[in-house]
Amino acid sequence: SKDMLSAEVIDTIASLGGGNEMLVGLFDSFLVDTKDLIENSEEDWKGRALDTLKREIHTLKGLCGTIGANQIFEVCYLINNDLKNNSDVFLDLYMGKLLEITPSLINHIESTYY
């Protein structure tokens, strides 16, 4: 799960000053937002509320980009593309993957930085 976060991005953030404290601040809001977004997007996916899902996944993609959570960023990118093209052919596959890998990232952050 270590490869779930880009070391490069983390080092860059840490080097901006504030070191670990700044990282933890960033992770605090990331964790709160991500847990909400994952919960809501799972509901919207199951209820096929695809417009709302598109917004949630777009937001999650941005958050993951910011902290270098590349794996999840990629999956969000794929989901986002599908939804933009009004296709949900791979939606179940991608959402399954998203729900499978996000808890690992959350655990990794919580166990490494707290």
Side-chain angles (χ1 to χ4, degrees):
S1 66
K2 216 176 159 61
D3 58 348
M4 295 193 84
L5 275 180
S6 157
E8 205 180 329
V9 174
I10 296 302
D11 291 346
T12 303
I13 295 167
S15 71
L16 293 175
N20 237 25
E21 216 169 290
M22 179 158 171
L23 273 178
V24 170
L26 188 65
F27 286 139
D28 276 343
S29 57
F30 175 81
L31 291 170
V32 170
D33 293 343
T34 296
K35 287 172 184 175
D36 275 353
L37 284 165
I38 285 293
E39 201 177 308
N40 295 338
S41 60
E42 183 172 9
E43 278 173 29
D44 290 330
W45 163 51
K46 288 180 173 160
R48 280 297 190 259
L50 299 186
D51 281 347
T52 319
L53 179 61
K54 190 170 18 177
R55 280 197 301 275
E56 287 155 356
I57 295 297
H58 183 77
T59 305
L60 184 59
K61 182 171 73 102
L63 290 173
C64 288
T66 306
I67 68 159
N70 296 339
Q71 249 183 318
I72 297 176
F73 178 90
E74 293 295 328
V75 177
C76 288
Y77 177 82
L78 293 169
I79 295 171
N80 219 34
N81 256 13
D82 265 15
L83 293 174
K84 262 198 296 215
N85 300 322
N86 293 317
S87 153
D88 61 359
V89 178
F90 297 110
L91 184 61
D92 292 348
L93 180 71
Y94 295 152
M95 281 300 297
K97 183 75 179 153
L98 181 66
L99 296 172
E100 181 193 314
I101 63 181
T102 307
S104 315
L105 174 68
I106 291 170
N107 290 339
H108 172 66
I109 292 173
E110 288 176 341
S111 61
T112 308
Y113 297 94
Y114 290 88

